[in-house]
Amino acid sequence: MPANTPDALQHDGRDLVVVLHGVGVTCRWMSRIARAVEEAGYRVVNRTYPSRKLPLEKLGAQWLPRLLLENGAAEAPRIHFVTHSMGGIVVRLWLRECGDCLPKNLGRIVMIAPPNHGSELPDRLRGFPPFHWFTGVNGPRLGTGDDSLPRQLSLKAFPKGAELGIIAGNRTLNPLFSHWIKRESDGTVSVASTRLDGMCDHIVMPHSHTGILLSRPVAAQAVHFLREGKFDRTVP
């Protein structure tokens, strides 16, 4: 039986880690992290999804469940997630759809630079055409106003039974964006916005919003949380 058939995936025997990129990019941005997780012994699914065209609710309620089904998530010993930016919001929407019926094999979730309470950039760039081209239907909904989907999700604590670790960045490459955010940030998301009630651990690392994906130490921290349920503070 070919190794990439559904039956083979369902009987793989390894924990499954689903890796989700942010808005406007592809799964290639997550390649370093996905490779580190796979080298640590996990089965990894790193798939490009229609982040600009499919509304967030459909990504969480339809696209992600279908991806899990296609990759034998129910048969895996445990299922984990590693996300970047908007990918974390997709997982939170999926968890909301699950309600009190979380998968029994749900493991740990690592969110990297998630706008859990929104970002000031969509507020400022809402009327800027290139922003809409790059972020599509979902970008404007990641702001901090009353219509902010992340803020609406944050009204409810992160569900019990899902262990959450968050990695934030605090380096910025754009002085204008930093001026708009006005707080410690990665140039796109403030450190404060990444935090979420119910998280197990939180760590800040010296990287920008996209540069954080190219960092070997960040990838190592993601793997450490998947294994231990906490980040490694023994390394500088």
Side-chain angles (χ1 to χ4, degrees):
M1 179 183 300
N4 60 350
T5 64
D7 287 342
L9 291 174
Q10 291 172 11
H11 296 88
D12 183 277
R14 293 178 292 170
D15 282 9
L16 173 67
V17 179
V18 176
V19 177
L20 295 178
H21 60 80
V23 65
V25 296
T26 70
C27 64
R28 291 186 178 183
W29 283 88
M30 302 296 288
S31 294
R32 179 183 290 278
I33 290 172
R35 186 164 55 250
V37 173
E38 189 167 33
E39 290 173 352
Y42 296 92
R43 177 163 64 89
V44 175
V45 173
N46 180 22
R47 193 77 54 80
T48 297
Y49 64 94
S51 63
R52 297 174 60 252
K53 295 182 179 180
L54 198 64
L56 276 159
E57 288 87 351
K58 289 187 177 181
L59 289 170
Q62 299 175 15
W63 181 85
L64 183 52
R66 186 166 58 248
L67 179 74
L68 297 175
L69 180 64
E70 291 172 352
N71 287 275
E75 290 74 27
R78 297 184 79 191
I79 173 175
H80 312 280
F81 295 89
V82 178
T83 70
H84 177 244
S85 196
M86 193 185 81
I89 307 303
V90 174
V91 170
R92 289 178 63 192
L93 284 164
W94 171 72
L95 290 170
R96 185 179 71 174
E97 291 294 320
C98 292
D100 295 329
C101 299
L102 296 177
K104 293 182 179 180
N105 63 343
L106 180 62
R108 293 168 176 149
I109 301 169
V110 178
M111 293 184 183
I112 302 171
N116 279 323
H117 300 277
S119 166
E120 290 81 357
L121 297 193
D123 301 336
R124 294 278 188 164
L125 297 171
R126 190 177 295 266
F128 188 50
F131 173 74
H132 286 270
W133 177 85
F134 183 74
T135 65
V137 299
N138 292 316
R141 306 185 65 201
L142 299 175
T144 62
D146 293 338
D147 60 345
S148 167
L149 183 56
R151 286 189 60 191
Q152 294 170 18
L153 287 171
S154 297
L155 295 176
K156 185 177 181 181
F158 199 73
K160 295 180 180 179
E163 297 180 67
L164 172 64
I166 297 173
I167 303 175
N170 68 351
R171 294 291 185 272
T172 177
L173 303 178
N174 190 314
L176 178 60
F177 289 177
S178 300
H179 174 70
W180 286 344
I181 296 172
K182 295 185 178 3
R183 298 179 287 176
E184 183 182 24
S185 76
D186 61 13
T188 299
V189 178
S190 71
V191 171
S193 182
T194 64
R195 297 180 180 275
L196 201 60
D197 289 345
M199 62 185 179
C200 296
D201 204 354
H202 184 279
I203 192 169
V204 180
M205 304 189 73
H207 299 289
S208 67
H209 191 70
T210 53
I212 202 168
L213 298 177
L214 306 177
S215 166
R216 292 182 186 275
V218 168
Q221 289 287 6
V223 170
H224 194 274
F225 188 89
L226 292 177
R227 285 175 168 169
E228 307 294 336
K230 59 183 180 181
F231 295 117
D232 185 5
R233 289 179 170 80
T234 65
V235 297

